[in-house]
Amino acid sequence: MKLVRFGAAGAEKPGLIDGDGDLRDLSNHIADIAGETLSPEGLAALAALNASSLPRIAEKQRLGPCVAGTGKFICIGLNYSDHAREAGLPVPTEPIVFMKATSAICGPDDDLVIPRGSTKTDWEVELGIVIGKTAKHVSKEDALEHVAGYCVLHDVSERAFQNERQGQWTKGKSCDTFGPTGPWLVTREEVADPQNLSMWLKVNGETMQSGSTRTMVFGVAELVSYLSDFMSLHPGDIISTGTPPGVGMGLSPQRYLKAGDVVELGIEGLGQQRQLCISSS
């Protein structure tokens, strides 16, 4: 299934994309794409519905973040071997973990706001994991049973805030609109191999990133298992799994986003995003 949330920011309704690509309204069946809806039982109940019997939404709608109720937005740094080389850093021997504020989450096509004082706002296409069942000390072999599905994530980063100010990376990762999520949550059974997905990102029509989840250092199952040893993972939690090479910081000369730029990005089978960069008011 492809699950979506549509409507005005803060008032999204749950929906799904049917086999013909039409948007169908799920609000008569569930309150939101969150909590128990993401459990194996909740997803099975949605899969049992006759999609053609659900109300069809004909008019164009804003798509919101594809999951609600996210308690933790966990990111993995330098998780692509070719990106680590691009950054001039060693390939990690253990996942590099940092947090992104949940207030950064926004819709896949919402405007990307360049924050006040920014000089180095950068792009990063990433595979997102959405947790569906609580995970604590789970094995790598059982880890995928705790995954509801996958989505496209844009881990926008302000490199000066991240690397040139004291403290951890979080403040360079957490500005408002720095976490476009979606367009939809593709449930786990529809993704045959999350470690074999092509991914790309363009700025003003120019391809900047072109990679594959094949080059991830730590794969989906390993990340879920690893993180569950340090914290419980709950339904709706998001794991952003790292980016392939081609970020602005890695170019020579370096290149960063400015107001008026258009960023487009996508992952095979998971859809695509488009953001217009605007200045902070």
Side-chain angles (χ1 to χ4, degrees), residues 35-36 38-41 72 130-138 142-143 145-148 224 228 231-237:
E36 286 301 312
L38 297 167
S39 69
E41 297 77 16
K72 293 188 288 297
V130 176
I131 298 298
K133 183 172 72 170
T134 298
K136 186 175 179 63
H137 299 306
V138 300
D142 295 335
E145 296 177 11
H146 298 262
V147 173
V224 172
S228 78
M231 63 192 87
S232 294
L233 303 175
H234 297 126
D237 285 352

Side-chain angles (χ1 to χ4, degrees), residues 74-81 83-84 87 89-99 124 126 155 157 159 162 169 173 216-218 223 226-227 239-244:
I74 308 165
C75 299
I76 308 299
L78 301 176
N79 195 34
Y80 283 68
S81 55
H83 175 51
L89 295 169
V91 175
T93 57
E94 199 169 336
I96 295 172
V97 180
F98 62 94
M99 308 297 281
E124 295 187 36
E126 305 206 2
D155 176 22
S157 308
R159 303 301 190 185
Q162 176 187 353
W169 290 358
K173 297 283 189 172
M216 286 171 64
V217 180
F218 306 103
L223 289 174
Y226 178 86
L227 291 169
I239 304 169
S240 198
T241 58
T243 198

Side-chain angles (χ1 to χ4, degrees), residues 45-273:
L46 292 183
L49 296 173
N50 180 359
S52 63
S53 69
L54 299 171
R56 177 175 172 270
I57 308 298
E59 58 274 15
K60 184 173 177 59
Q61 297 282 332
R62 169 192 173 268
L63 294 182
C66 60
V67 63
T70 298
K72 293 188 288 297
F73 195 163
I74 308 165
C75 299
I76 308 299
L78 301 176
N79 195 34
Y80 283 68
S81 55
D82 37 10
H83 175 51
R85 288 194 298 270
E86 168 187 59
L89 295 169
V91 175
T93 57
E94 199 169 336
I96 295 172
V97 180
F98 62 94
M99 308 297 281
K100 195 176 184 93
T102 57
S103 54
I105 296 172
C106 63
D109 300 327
D110 290 348
D111 289 342
L112 195 168
V113 180
I114 307 295
R116 184 184 301 176
S118 168
T119 58
K120 297 182 178 181
T121 295
D122 204 350
W123 55 82
E124 295 187 36
V125 59
E126 305 206 2
L127 172 68
I129 306 167
V130 176
I131 298 298
K133 183 172 72 170
T134 298
K136 186 175 179 63
H137 299 306
V138 300
S139 68
K140 181 179 175 180
E141 292 70 26
D142 295 335
L144 294 186
E145 296 177 11
H146 298 262
V147 173
Y150 306 96
C151 63
V152 180
L153 284 174
H154 190 183
D155 176 22
V156 187
S157 308
E158 213 298 334
R159 303 301 190 185
F161 296 177
Q162 176 187 353
N163 297 321
E164 299 169 23
R165 306 283 290 271
Q166 291 190 7
Q168 299 179 338
W169 290 358
T170 301
K171 59 179 172 286
K173 297 283 189 172
S174 296
C175 302
D176 293 348
T177 75
F178 271 25
T181 303
W184 38 69
L185 170 63
V186 179
T187 49
R188 177 166 51 93
E189 78 282 353
E190 290 203 14
V191 180
D193 183 2
Q195 304 307 149
N196 189 27
L197 301 175
S198 60
M199 53 206 308
W200 56 270
L201 182 145
K202 298 180 180 180
V203 178
N204 300 328
E206 179 184 359
T207 298
M208 309 306 296
Q209 292 185 275
S210 179
S212 171
T213 58
R214 289 192 305 272
T215 66
M216 286 171 64
V217 180
F218 306 103
V220 169
E222 189 169 3
L223 289 174
V224 172
S225 174
Y226 178 86
L227 291 169
S228 78
D229 280 341
F230 298 97
M231 63 192 87
S232 294
L233 303 175
H234 297 126
D237 285 352
I238 295 171
I239 304 169
S240 198
T241 58
T243 198
V247 299
M249 181 177 63
L251 300 177
S252 181
Q254 293 180 340
R255 175 176 168 183
Y256 296 106
L257 296 171
K258 61 185 184 303
D261 286 343
V262 174
V263 185
E264 299 167 285
L265 58 147
I267 298 178
E268 179 184 356
L270 303 184
Q272 62 186 61
Q273 304 181 354

